[in-house]
Amino acid sequence: MYKIVSRLLIYGDMPKDTILMELADIIRKMDENSQTKEELATRVFTQMKHLLQVATDYGFDKNLWHNYLTYLLITSENPFSITCEKVGANEGSVNYFAKGDFKAFKDLFDYDFSRLESYLEVDCFSRISDYQAIGKKELMYNKNVSEKVQALSLKLEKARDEQDFFDLVTGFYKDYGVGMFGLNKAFRIASSEDGMVKFHAINNMDTVMLDELVGYEIQKKKLVDNTRAFVEGRKANNVLLFGDSGTGKSTSVKAIVNEFYPQGLRMIEIYKHQFKDLSAVIAQIKNRNYRFIIYMDDLSFEEFEVEYKFLKAVIEGGVETRPDNILIYATSNRRHLIKENWSDRNDVEVNNGMHRSDTMEEKLSLVNRFGVTINYSKPSQKEYFHIVVELARRAGLTMPEKELCAEANKWELSHGGISGRTAQQFINYLSGNSSDRRQ
């Protein structure tokens, strides 16, 4: 195996502690007789444990070795794979080297572990060639990744040669992309010591869809129209969803990402204290073949906070133009985002009867940088009852409508007032305590 791994050029830059590199070194040590059987067996079992952990995380089964190699291929971000993501596998000299790597991967797919198993008197590799996961659906942490990896793995098992491998893998890159952006919908960021930012996939994102949000049809349409224009490469605007708490602003953004994920939409959630990293985030995603929403939840600023200046520069007004594949979506309970004080009026100038405050103008100009503003106001009592009734129907509750509305009215009086969130919490309460009222 170490001889095969040594042939990797484009895909060969892997850390030494990866499962593949460790197994290759184990087999080298076996051939060199430079470690005892006990030491080699311990190392093998350690890597087997790591492989089983990967399988558990992603719900892999059947041939775990093939699943793992496929996972390496579709998560390896290198100049070749990223180019294929953007424009496909065009003719070029790099294809020669890529096919050499795919020949090596095919040899790894077909690798016979029987010699190692016989030498160490173990059968673990034979066991994982037809692995049956227990409670796969219940334990699966990222179904999206699991399905993509296993589907491609089955195709690669049937590949006749490196050309088949080349066509299958580059086709996957073109259709889905490469690395974490190709496999996941949403991300958070963390700063690293080298000044770059690291992206961390949000694997347990809410799977809500827009039609599950009752009411707010006009608001949802404005959001959908803007997002559809964005993913189709047409002109689109940054969006601010503002209004009362519990009205579905955040849910709408999550739903829009779920709706348009197949068209290449991705979301990066960023918090206020990370606004200084916005330029670094944009630099790392501006050349990728995806459409990114940079999402800011519950956005607002106190009078002493100046992070809004980073945001203003990035949205519009900085020297560098915002890339076409990036928009900013934000939610806020405040219409103007930044808290105003009476002290802001101390710099008011009077000119021909007109009053102007530089401080207030600077603060209020932030909201003007959102081309689309959508108001999510609290529902009326009639709308609240409609939401309750519809959610109850979807939950399979059979309580009479009149009784349901009466109970919903009592609930909202002691649970935060009228809102879609209150309605959902009420239905959750009934669902957990009224099993006899289900259809």
Side-chain angles (χ1 to χ4, degrees):
M1 181 183 291
Y2 57 90
K3 294 179 181 178
I4 300 174
V5 171
S6 68
R7 299 186 343 235
L8 294 173
L9 188 140
I10 296 174
Y11 293 85
D13 187 21
M14 283 182 274
K16 292 183 178 180
D17 60 351
T18 57
I19 297 171
L20 176 60
M21 300 302 283
E22 284 284 348
L23 288 176
D25 188 64
I26 288 170
I27 294 172
R28 179 195 295 273
K29 292 293 196 296
M30 179 184 70
D31 288 348
E32 295 172 347
N33 198 27
S34 56
Q35 276 190 308
T36 65
K37 286 186 177 182
E38 291 74 14
E39 290 172 328
L40 292 176
T42 299
R43 292 182 64 189
V44 164
F45 292 147
T46 297
Q47 297 312 309
M48 190 59 54
K49 179 182 177 181
H50 292 166
L51 188 57
L52 290 173
Q53 184 62 55
V54 172
T56 300
D57 288 344
Y58 294 105
F60 296 159
D61 62 3
K62 298 182 180 178
N63 195 313
L64 300 190
W65 176 240
H66 291 173
N67 289 167
Y68 168 70
L69 292 175
T70 304
Y71 180 76
L72 287 183
L73 282 169
I74 65 179
T75 56
S76 178
E77 296 183 358
N78 56 63
F80 172 75
S81 61
I82 291 177
T83 299
C84 290
E85 171 190 285
K86 296 178 70 174
V87 298
N90 292 335
E91 291 297 323
S93 300
V94 71
N95 289 1
Y96 171 80
F97 299 109
K99 288 178 182 178
D101 278 20
F102 291 143
K103 173 67 166 64
F105 265 97
K106 185 173 187 335
D107 291 342
L108 289 171
F109 257 72
D110 298 335
Y111 190 81
D112 185 359
F113 285 97
S114 61
R115 187 168 65 92
L116 177 62
E117 288 186 318
S118 176
Y119 180 74
L120 297 179
E121 299 179 346
V122 298
D123 65 349
C124 49
F125 293 99
S126 299
R127 296 283 182 181
I128 64 168
S129 64
D130 189 19
Y131 183 76
Q132 300 298 319
I134 299 175
K136 177 183 172 184
K137 292 182 179 180
E138 291 75 13
L139 295 174
M140 190 183 300
Y141 193 54
N142 195 325
K143 183 179 179 181
N144 185 53
V145 175
S146 177
E147 291 175 346
K148 284 185 171 64
V149 169
Q150 292 187 85
L152 181 59
S153 178
L154 290 173
K155 294 177 182 177
L156 292 175
E157 287 178 1
K158 300 173 183 177
R160 295 166 297 179
D161 52 28
E162 63 268 25
Q163 183 62 51
D164 279 358
F165 246 75
F166 181 91
D167 294 339
L168 289 167
V169 175
T170 57
F172 183 94
Y173 291 155
K174 181 59 178 173
D175 292 341
Y176 299 105
V178 61
M180 66 175 71
F181 292 133
L183 295 172
N184 299 280
K185 299 176 183 178
F187 308 84
R188 293 191 179 96
I189 67 165
S191 301
S192 60
E193 295 179 358
D194 58 3
M196 302 289 285
V197 293
K198 292 185 178 179
F199 296 92
H200 299 283
I202 302 173
N203 292 319
N204 57 343
M205 181 175 166
D206 193 347
T207 58
V208 63
M209 304 300 280
L210 278 173
D211 59 3
E212 296 176 33
L213 180 63
V214 182
Y216 299 98
E217 298 304 323
I218 295 174
Q219 291 88 335
K220 290 189 291 186
K221 185 178 187 307
K222 289 179 69 175
L223 189 61
V224 167
D225 289 347
N226 190 75
T227 308
R228 179 174 290 113
F230 178 49
V231 299
E232 292 177 356
R234 295 181 280 119
K235 292 292 184 180
N237 287 294
N238 300 307
V239 178
L240 173 65
L241 297 82
F242 71 94
D244 301 306
S245 62
T247 51
K249 301 183 296 295
S250 300
T251 300
S252 294
V253 175
K254 296 172 188 175
I256 211 74
V257 174
N258 291 327
E259 295 276 355
F260 288 96
Y261 167 72
Q263 283 83 16
L265 185 66
R266 304 293 185 267
M267 182 179 78
I268 298 173
E269 185 174 25
I270 187 167
Y271 302 105
K272 187 163 50 179
H273 69 277
Q274 298 172 316
F275 282 2
K276 65 183 185 303
D277 297 320
L278 273 170
S279 295
V281 170
I282 291 173
Q284 289 185 234
I285 63 177
K286 64 182 180 181
N287 293 321
R288 298 304 297 267
N289 194 33
Y290 303 97
R291 299 280 166 171
F292 291 95
I293 287 175
I294 296 179
Y295 172 51
M296 303 163 185
D297 190 29
D298 197 18
L299 185 64
S300 64
F301 300 93
E302 300 301 324
E303 67 273 10
F304 56 85
E305 294 177 314
V306 297
E307 288 89 348
Y308 71 90
K309 295 185 178 181
F310 292 109
L311 182 55
K312 283 175 64 177
V314 167
I315 294 180
E316 193 177 318
V319 175
E320 185 178 9
T321 304
R322 177 174 48 81
D324 292 335
N325 69 328
I326 298 171
L327 283 181
I328 293 176
Y329 282 20
T331 65
S332 179
N333 295 337
R334 291 179 180 172
R335 171 66 176 85
H336 291 296
L337 300 180
I338 305 172
K339 184 177 181 180
E340 297 179 70
N341 285 320
W342 285 107
S343 61
D344 292 341
R345 301 177 181 270
N346 292 337
D347 65 346
V348 171
E349 297 178 3
V350 180
N351 185 11
N352 294 327
M354 299 296 292
H355 295 72
R356 180 175 67 85
S357 167
D358 288 339
T359 304
M360 287 190 291
E361 282 294 320
E362 179 188 15
K363 289 187 172 184
L364 297 179
S365 66
L366 175 58
V367 72
N368 295 330
R369 284 172 160 80
F370 290 90
V372 173
T373 55
I374 306 175
N375 181 17
Y376 280 69
S377 58
K378 280 188 177 181
S380 65
Q381 189 170 63
K382 181 179 180 181
E383 290 169 332
Y384 169 68
F385 288 154
H386 169 71
I387 294 172
V388 167
V389 171
E390 180 61 24
L391 291 176
R393 183 188 64 78
R394 294 180 184 182
L397 297 172
T398 58
M399 182 185 294
E401 184 174 325
K402 186 175 181 180
E403 181 184 351
L404 185 66
C405 292
E407 292 299 319
N409 188 49
K410 295 177 185 177
W411 179 272
E412 64 91 0
L413 290 174
S414 58
H415 290 83
I418 291 175
S419 71
R421 179 183 296 154
T422 302
Q424 183 64 67
Q425 292 170 345
F426 172 62
I427 296 303
N428 292 344
Y429 167 77
L430 289 183
S431 298
N433 293 275
S434 304
S435 57
D436 57 322
R437 289 174 174 166
R438 288 181 173 277
Q439 291 177 348

